[in-house]
Amino acid sequence: DLCDEIKTGMRRFVTVWNKVQKTKPTKELFQVYQAYLTAFPQDTEMLHWAAIVGRNLGRHKEAADLFRKASTQAALDLKKDPKNK
């Protein structure tokens, strides 16, 4: 499905960029994470990675919000997983 292809492509783009800037992320990388999460807000792993980038940039309020969203989404993911029932 086209939406899955777009999501996969965007995710790959952001994660490769993150690998390049792993030790010194930029505000642009954080903005790209935010754009991705606007389109795909239930991606737990990307929420977590965005939170780490935000924390590393000193954007503590935004990072805390992203960590909270990642935690909430992870709990929802566990409830949806039939192996956890």
Side-chain angles (χ1 to χ4, degrees), residues 48-64:
H48 184 254
W49 289 341
I52 291 170
V53 170
R55 182 194 62 201
N56 290 345
L57 290 172
R59 311 256 315 247
H60 300 293
K61 184 179 180 322
E62 292 161 294

Side-chain angles (χ1 to χ4, degrees), residues 1-83:
D1 150 81
L2 183 59
C3 188
D4 287 337
E5 288 181 43
I6 292 169
K7 180 180 180 181
T8 300
M10 285 182 66
R11 193 176 204 281
R12 188 175 307 124
F13 175 78
V14 177
T15 56
V16 168
W17 188 346
N18 193 358
K19 287 177 186 175
V20 170
Q21 294 187 346
K22 190 153 186 104
T23 59
K24 192 169 181 181
T26 61
K27 67 178 181 174
E28 290 80 14
L29 174 60
F30 190 57
Q31 290 169 339
V32 169
Y33 267 111
Q34 291 172 316
Y36 174 88
L37 291 168
T38 297
F40 307 103
Q42 287 89 27
D43 190 330
T44 306
E45 192 173 27
M46 294 295 272
L47 283 163
H48 184 254
W49 289 341
I52 291 170
V53 170
R55 182 194 62 201
N56 290 345
L57 290 172
R59 311 256 315 247
H60 300 293
K61 184 179 180 322
E62 292 161 294
D65 185 49
L66 288 162
F67 278 124
R68 182 189 52 76
K69 287 178 182 177
S71 175
T72 301
Q73 187 61 46
L76 291 172
D77 293 346
L78 284 173
K79 287 181 183 178
K80 292 178 190 172
D81 188 346
K83 293 181 283 185

